[in-house]
Amino acid sequence: MGKFGKDFVWGTATSAYQIEGGYLENGKGPSIWDSFCTIPGKIKNGDTGNVACDHFHRFKDDIKLLKELGVNSYRLSISWSRIMPEGKGAVNEEGVRFYNEIIDELIKNDITPWVTLYHWDLPLALQLEDDGWLGESIIDYFVEYADVCFNRFGDRVKHWITLNEPWVVAILSHGHGVFAPGRVSEVEPYQVAHNLLLAHAKTVNHYKSRYSSQDGKIGITNNCDWRESLTNSQADIEAAQRALEFFLGWFADPVYFGDYPEVMKERIGDKLPRFSEKEKELLKGSSDFFGLNHYTTMNAAHTDSVDENEDVHGNGGISKDQGVSLSVKKDWKLTKMNWAVVPWGCKKLLKWIADRYDNPEIYITENGCAYDDEVVDGQINDSERVEYFRTYLAACEEAISEGVNLKGYFAWSFLDNFEWNSGYSKRFGIYYVDFETLERIPKASAKWFKKFLAEQSS
Ligand code: PNW
């Protein structure tokens, strides 16, 4: 059985906007992604999530596929504006019914639901009212929405993730402006991150105080690449460490230690909001597990003059605040996202987390890759994806042997889906989706994963 053990959580992951479709159906309100997709030039080929994988109408068949695959868990997200069309106030019972049906169907099939409350599709009404995550009012609105979810689904959902990748919401949505709501700024990302963290902490506190009888677990999922020092120089070693603190420490330090990393306070100064003592208390210890989305690795080197244009893959954050220059090694293989395939980076990151945060329970809530998949004679032989999963899982296994408390792994993604500003041009699924006919076909990677999972339980 290897190192993973018999209680290991195995799943695939998706998010509402990326797979559901069902645009404005049965009382759903618009989200910022519905709106962002209508702006010319924002999304590759002018794609939208209006139909996506049509999971809204096909979820029963999709859950059959999950059953066949042999996962014991499945990570999905709830669309806030399907549940509360205006983001607050009235609850849309049709939306509640939709998620009730999914949850019941999963449980009937012995698949444990892991539910993300927020995977970026903010109700448009809240963006317009007080600038969404930039305004402080969002914090209480989020708690109000989360309360509806705990209240309606918490009898059956025992694994909650408050936020997916707050780093992306801060940097890509409010810094680089490439994700909804498309704001460009060097200050707003820090304000947005602050409100996200407070919304997370208040929600966890609410869940623990009001819903303790549900006896569930709740945490946050952060994304982080590994940063490998470009050279052995002290300056580059420090730069790599600094890059990790600006990426993951930004969100995980408040959750584990109650405050931002010192290096961020020093370098960012007044642009970085401060937590009150009460907020620090609320934040500290606010995650029952460490949710991690991990895809790739880059080299980091110290620099005093960052050229923003060299920010090769858009995943550096605000480089000039960090004094870090990023690059990839020539011989690293790249996926269709231009993200390098470096399995040992995954192991190093897991160990970095274990060291820094006192060996928490870690769940990899996303890991995967995009490639150009082609259907040949009805088959998709995605051997590069198989190799990616095989080597990243081997790296996870090594991390476990070296003491890392890794408890679960979710492959991103179950289905090819709407890959945000790349539209349908980037396929991450282990099941191929024909976006004309909406047919699903298992790729070689799905067959490989199925066999791998069967071996784990034998
Ligand atoms: C994650 N970056 O997004 C998301 O959680 C998924 O919804 C998404 O489909 C998946 O990874 C693949 O992209 C990210 O630029 C998007 O560093 C961009 C970045 C990281 C994560």
Side-chain angles (χ1 to χ4, degrees), residues 18 119-120 164-165 295 315 339 366 412 419-420 428:
Q18 294 181 275
H119 202 124
W120 310 347
N164 179 66
E165 303 189 349
Y295 288 92
N315 50 4
W339 295 349
E366 286 180 25
W412 185 271
E419 178 52 30
W420 308 113
F428 273 91

Side-chain angles (χ1 to χ4, degrees), residues 1 29 59 113 196 205 242 431:
M1 124 145 34
F59 70 90
L196 283 159
N205 184 55
R242 199 160 63 239
Y431 285 81

Side-chain angles (χ1 to χ4, degrees), residues 15 18 75 119-120 164-165 167-168 172 179 223 225 247 293 295 313-315 337 339 366 412 417-420 428:
S15 87
Q18 294 181 275
R75 175 174 177 238
H119 202 124
W120 310 347
N164 179 66
E165 303 189 349
W167 181 93
V168 167
L172 302 186
F179 282 12
N223 60 307
D225 304 345
F247 202 147
N293 292 351
Y295 288 92
H313 303 311
N315 50 4
M337 296 296 279
W339 295 349
E366 286 180 25
W412 185 271
N417 60 47
F418 177 81
E419 178 52 30
W420 308 113
F428 273 91

Side-chain angles (χ1 to χ4, degrees), residues 134-153:
L134 270 168
E136 276 177 34
S137 58
I138 195 72
I139 299 169
D140 288 334
Y141 291 147
F142 186 70
V143 178
E144 185 188 333
Y145 155 66
D147 180 80
V148 173
C149 295
F150 301 147
N151 185 16
R152 302 302 192 92
F153 311 125

